[in-house]
Amino acid sequence: MNAYDKLSRIQKLNNSMLCVGLDPDIGRLPKHMEPNLSSILDFNHVVIEATKDIVCSYKINFAFYEQYGVEGFEILKATFDMIPDYIFTIADAKRGDIGNTSKAYAKSSFEYFNADSVTVNPYMGHDSVLPFLEYTDKMIFLLAITSNNGSLDFQRLVSDKKPIYKHVIEKSKAWADPKNLGYVIGATHPDVLKQIRNFLPANYLLIPGIGVQGGSVEETIKANNKGPAVVNVSRSVIYASHGLDYDIQVREKALFYKNSFNEFNY
Amino acid sequence: MNAYDKLSRIQKLNNSMLCVGLDPDIGRLPKHMEPNLSSILDFNHVVIEATKDIVCSYKINFAFYEQYGVEGFEILKATFDMIPDYIFTIADAKRGDIGNTSKAYAKSSFEYFNADSVTVNPYMGHDSVLPFLEYTDKMIFLLAITSNNGSLDFQRLVSDKKPIYKHVIEKSKAWADPKNLGYVIGATHPDVLKQIRNFLPANYLLIPGIGVQGGSVEETIKANNKGPAVVNVSRSVIYASHGLDYDIQVREKALFYKNSFNEFNY
């Protein structure tokens, strides 16, 4: 099954648009756990078991593993391997480089980690993105407008009456079928989300920025106007509790977000 | 010694602006070598031994290692560890993400791999770049205008009478001392290099795109106008020969580029 169909299927099966970000930080693990790398794997396992019937996807942020070098990469691989096959995975790696280099990054995400999708940075243009799109059974999420404050620095600069993120979307739209190409649109820009949704009815949008980053659930889901979307929450779910009951609290928080999204998705 | 001083020192010591990119590809190793990961480490070792008195820097492209997963990361770490301390290293990782994530990427490049510098993608703005700049004894090279064809897609779009790469440079200039902040300017844009050099006399420029990518040595070095610069060549040096004499051929090719750069750097 290709990645797009897998995502559509699990969204129906679990009745959920919720993606949980597995961004573990040794310093923020539950207090009863030893602050070391093998605890991260145990922690991810508990989060996955507590939420696998509630989410459509897990987003795995490479930086949080890469900072621990080789051992971190082992935990990253083991985390991908413990996610049930029917759940959609996002390699949140924000990669992108000249052609032969992007080809190697695509090989890493899609062949080594066997991720269903990867986040890609558009700054270097078409030949940095196309090697990822050659995997026609996979998906990419191209950064358009991100959730952080820095998104105001360059992404919203206007050229020829259109902001840069719109140039990114308009140009890249021609590079692939909507089934292979999604976009990252931060929940902190509901005005943009609404416009983009109208312009791109068929492409999946990956929407981060809910929770700690301050995006509003109601505004975000309404702006998305029932389009295909994956809404990510990381820290607000995985750090729901630092106590022994963290599995229960993580599940409750994930359920809360899943249900909140569905409530406004009419 | 901070990274900037280390780079200035080795450039004088070896009388060289040449950076060699360690971008090994199992399929392109010398014919007598087994096509496997441990051969990559042997190959890097030979390239380093053959050129360490000719170069100022090695640029290590993470993608070429990451594609082999955990074992690739082991080879990446071992490659950093085998580079002599007095040679400047560039973690060519093109990273950049929201603040807490960039912090983890910075930790990976600067603490785990102990790189002197890292390449950073500006698309996500100030809070994606600042965590790297907190390491005030290190350097970053921020992508401004890259060497590939795709650089024409978004980097040269004009907003408020200035191309995007100029916005990136003007805005980021205020974020750090020139000793911590360099820029990537592709050799395939000599017109831009000349302008930027006048605008940024003190910042190091990392210039890729010579050799296979088609940038001209003479045009590039003249456009750089004797400013502080690191000029990278990867494939044209490391794949100088596929025979048993590859150590000699790699050395000769590296010497050729070093001397060509110096010839026009007056």
Side-chain angles (χ1 to χ4, degrees):
Chain A
M1 192 186 313
N2 65 43
Y4 181 96
D5 290 342
K6 179 171 170 180
L7 178 53
S8 309
R9 186 170 173 276
I10 184 67
Q11 289 204 317
K12 281 189 200 114
L13 191 70
N14 282 354
N15 186 29
S16 178
M17 307 163 73
L18 175 64
C19 173
V20 166
L22 299 174
D23 305 353
D25 179 338
I26 282 181
R28 298 186 68 179
L29 293 174
K31 285 183 186 135
H32 65 282
M33 297 181 98
E34 290 288 326
N36 60 33
L37 281 173
S38 79
S39 292
I40 283 186
L41 199 58
D42 295 341
F43 178 77
N44 285 349
H45 182 68
V46 168
V47 171
I48 291 165
E49 288 304 308
T51 58
K52 67 185 182 187
D53 59 333
I54 300 173
V55 303
C56 63
S57 174
Y58 294 107
K59 181 169 80 61
I60 300 101
N61 190 320
F62 277 35
F64 287 88
Y65 301 85
E66 215 173 289
Q67 67 182 323
Y68 303 116
V70 170
E71 284 178 78
F73 241 52
E74 279 170 8
I75 303 291
L76 177 60
K77 173 67 171 155
T79 297
F80 270 99
D81 289 348
M82 68 165 58
I83 295 173
D85 277 346
Y86 55 89
I87 298 185
F88 185 82
T89 53
I90 303 171
D92 191 9
K94 311 253 181 7
R95 297 301 196 251
D97 205 317
I98 66 171
N100 68 325
T101 308
S102 270
K103 196 173 165 180
Y105 278 131
K107 198 175 159 194
S108 163
S109 291
F110 292 145
E111 297 187 35
Y112 182 77
F113 290 108
N114 198 23
D116 295 309
S117 67
V118 61
T119 54
V120 176
N121 188 309
Y123 190 72
M124 293 180 67
H126 67 277
D127 49 2
S128 69
V129 178
L130 293 176
F132 294 95
L133 292 168
E134 281 172 17
Y135 291 77
T136 53
D137 57 334
K138 302 285 190 176
M139 286 176 69
I140 75 165
F141 291 100
L142 196 62
L143 303 187
I145 184 160
T146 54
S147 55
N148 61 327
N149 284 331
S151 64
L152 304 175
D153 288 331
F154 310 118
Q155 297 165 14
R156 294 190 90 143
L157 289 176
V158 174
S159 175
D160 197 17
K161 296 181 188 156
K162 281 179 300 204
I164 297 303
Y165 68 79
K166 196 85 191 286
H167 283 275
V168 167
I169 291 169
E170 288 188 5
K171 193 159 265 190
S172 60
K173 236 187 120 176
W175 300 341
D177 190 275
K179 290 201 166 190
N180 299 120
L181 179 57
Y183 294 93
V184 173
I185 309 283
T188 47
H189 306 273
D191 56 324
V192 175
L193 175 56
K194 198 170 174 178
Q195 289 167 31
I196 298 297
R197 188 73 286 174
N198 290 335
F199 182 70
L200 290 176
N203 300 69
Y204 262 105
L205 302 182
L206 169 59
I207 307 173
I210 296 276
V212 172
Q213 293 183 67
S216 147
V217 170
E218 180 172 357
E219 271 189 291
T220 300
I221 303 299
K222 287 188 173 170
N224 180 56
N225 195 21
K226 301 187 293 294
V230 175
V231 187
N232 184 73
V233 187
S234 300
R235 288 169 275 183
S236 302
V237 167
I238 66 174
Y239 301 131
S241 159
H242 293 92
L244 283 163
D245 65 338
Y246 78 102
D247 56 337
I248 296 165
Q249 300 296 332
V250 163
R251 183 174 174 80
E252 290 213 350
K253 213 57 183 276
L255 261 174
F256 164 78
Y257 280 109
K258 172 196 150 167
N259 292 334
S260 304
F261 297 164
N262 289 344
E263 183 186 346
F264 297 110
N265 195 38
Y266 54 83
Chain B
M1 195 186 310
N2 65 42
Y4 181 95
D5 290 341
K6 179 171 169 178
L7 179 52
S8 309
R9 186 170 172 276
I10 184 68
Q11 289 205 317
K12 280 189 200 115
L13 191 70
N14 282 354
N15 185 28
S16 178
M17 306 162 73
L18 175 64
C19 173
V20 166
L22 299 173
D23 306 353
D25 179 338
I26 282 181
R28 299 186 68 180
L29 293 175
K31 284 182 186 135
H32 66 281
M33 297 181 98
E34 291 287 328
N36 61 33
L37 280 174
S38 77
S39 292
I40 284 187
L41 199 57
D42 295 340
F43 177 78
N44 285 348
H45 183 68
V46 168
V47 170
I48 291 167
E49 289 303 309
T51 58
K52 67 185 182 187
D53 59 333
I54 299 173
V55 303
C56 64
S57 174
Y58 294 108
K59 181 170 81 61
I60 300 99
N61 190 319
F62 277 35
F64 286 87
Y65 301 84
E66 214 173 289
Q67 66 183 324
Y68 304 115
V70 170
E71 284 178 79
F73 241 53
E74 279 170 8
I75 303 291
L76 178 59
K77 173 67 172 156
T79 297
F80 270 99
D81 290 347
M82 69 165 58
I83 295 173
D85 278 346
Y86 55 90
I87 298 185
F88 185 82
T89 54
I90 303 171
D92 192 9
K94 311 252 178 11
R95 299 299 195 252
D97 204 319
I98 67 172
N100 67 326
T101 308
S102 270
K103 196 173 163 179
Y105 279 131
K107 198 175 157 192
S108 164
S109 290
F110 292 145
E111 298 188 34
Y112 182 76
F113 291 109
N114 198 24
D116 295 309
S117 67
V118 60
T119 54
V120 176
N121 188 309
Y123 190 73
M124 293 180 67
H126 67 275
D127 49 2
S128 69
V129 178
L130 293 176
F132 293 96
L133 293 169
E134 281 172 17
Y135 291 78
T136 53
D137 57 334
K138 302 284 189 177
M139 286 176 70
I140 75 165
F141 291 99
L142 196 62
L143 303 187
I145 184 160
T146 54
S147 55
N148 60 326
N149 284 330
S151 64
L152 304 175
D153 287 331
F154 310 118
Q155 297 166 14
R156 293 189 89 143
L157 289 176
V158 173
S159 175
D160 197 16
K161 296 180 187 156
K162 281 179 301 204
I164 297 304
Y165 68 79
K166 196 84 191 288
H167 283 274
V168 167
I169 290 170
E170 288 188 4
K171 193 160 266 188
S172 60
K173 237 188 120 175
W175 299 341
D177 189 276
K179 291 202 166 189
N180 299 121
L181 178 57
Y183 294 93
V184 174
I185 310 284
T188 48
H189 305 273
D191 56 326
V192 175
L193 176 55
K194 198 170 174 178
Q195 288 167 33
I196 298 298
R197 186 74 286 175
N198 291 334
F199 182 69
L200 290 177
N203 300 69
Y204 261 104
L205 303 182
L206 169 59
I207 307 173
I210 297 277
V212 173
Q213 293 184 67
S216 147
V217 170
E218 181 173 355
E219 270 189 290
T220 300
I221 303 299
K222 287 188 174 170
N224 181 56
N225 195 21
K226 301 187 294 293
V230 174
V231 186
N232 184 72
V233 187
S234 300
R235 288 168 277 182
S236 301
V237 167
I238 67 174
Y239 301 131
S241 158
H242 293 91
L244 282 165
D245 65 339
Y246 78 102
D247 55 336
I248 295 165
Q249 301 296 332
V250 163
R251 183 174 174 80
E252 289 212 352
K253 214 56 183 279
L255 261 175
F256 165 79
Y257 280 109
K258 171 196 151 169
N259 292 334
S260 304
F261 297 165
N262 289 344
E263 183 188 345
F264 297 111
N265 194 38
Y266 54 83

